Amino acid sequence: MIQAISPGRSTVRRNVGLVLIGVGAFFIALAPLVRFYVARQLIAAPLNVYEKTTLRADGATYLDTTQWKLQKGATVTATNTTRGDVHAGDGKVAVWDSFTSIEDTAANAKIETQAQRAVFDRRTAQLRDGRGASVNSDGAVKQTGVGLFWPVGVKRKSYPYFDTSTKRAWPMNYEGEEKVQGIKTYRFVQQIPPTVTDSIKPGVPASLLGLPAAQVSKLPGYDKKNNAVAVDRVYQSTVTAWVDPRTGAPVNQEQKVTQTLRTSDGVDRLVVADLDLKMTPESQKSLVHTSNTEATKIGLVKSWLPYGGGGLGLILLIAGLLLLVSARRRPAHRAVGSGTSAGNGAKAEDTENADGPRAAGDEPADREPSSES
């Protein structure tokens, strides 16, 4: 008796193979969709953000306007808090509020405050108008270029970067790669030339300029009644930003600031601010940690899911094809049953009787006897 493989096993192999082929083809087709469409939709500036960073300048010079006195050798801190306005943003646009307080904590002196409400494209980082966008509560300021957020996958090129002090964008030029707290960053530098940011009228006390009374009285804009001189505040700075190209997140910043008082005759009379602000290591580490977390999420959507899913789909497709080919090539054996065996046995017996040797005297009955007998 021959024991045969059940025909049902080939059918199961074929069905499983077809399922694996279908699932594998689905994953392969899904991979480019995730990589080139879903990733673009998901990788964007977050709506809900909260960051607090501190820059510090040692040996700084600034003008204490409460006493109209020049302070030198001070330690000045610039603390920035950025918070996302979730309800004002949507799938395309983010709204972030930024507030910076510059102060001499040792003297308990508030030097300056800056506020910005930035509305920008969540993917290109380009600043927009509307939704309450403003600088120091002035909604008439037109914000252009990029601002608080850099585009994900930032390039090695120049970007127009908005400056809140001069209320306009200036080129921020790529100047090389550097590591910050262990991660690779792109270093960008912005040079802001001397720019008038404010006109002080009726003016500052004439004594602040340190000029002889006779000379002060001849200055254009001199107010004899108040013994004050009208001046313009002139701002100049060099801003350096280190940006994580994976996420578009700045992870370090330095800002060298100089401010002078310029009289109406175009002469800079007095330096009233000289700050070399550098981000503290603690703030750097916090920003790098946040950026690493976001980079992991981006990598999952941009690389792991599409390439991993595509690879899994290819494996499933090959496995399905192998099962399908195996099911088609396996021969089908006919089972030998008891009835068939009996019939075959009978046929064998008949054959033996018909063709096999016979004993003497076993002649058929109808044959005539031999004549020799």
Side-chain angles (χ1 to χ4, degrees), residues 138-150:
D138 184 359
V141 177
K142 184 174 178 59
Q143 301 182 50
T144 59
V146 298
L148 301 177
F149 181 77
W150 293 69

Side-chain angles (χ1 to χ4, degrees), residues 80-83 96-100 114-118 148 164:
N80 173 264
T81 303
T82 300
R83 181 183 287 106
W96 290 4
D97 292 310
S98 172
F99 180 81
T100 302
Q114 297 176 350
Q116 178 185 11
R117 184 173 174 87
L148 301 177
T164 55

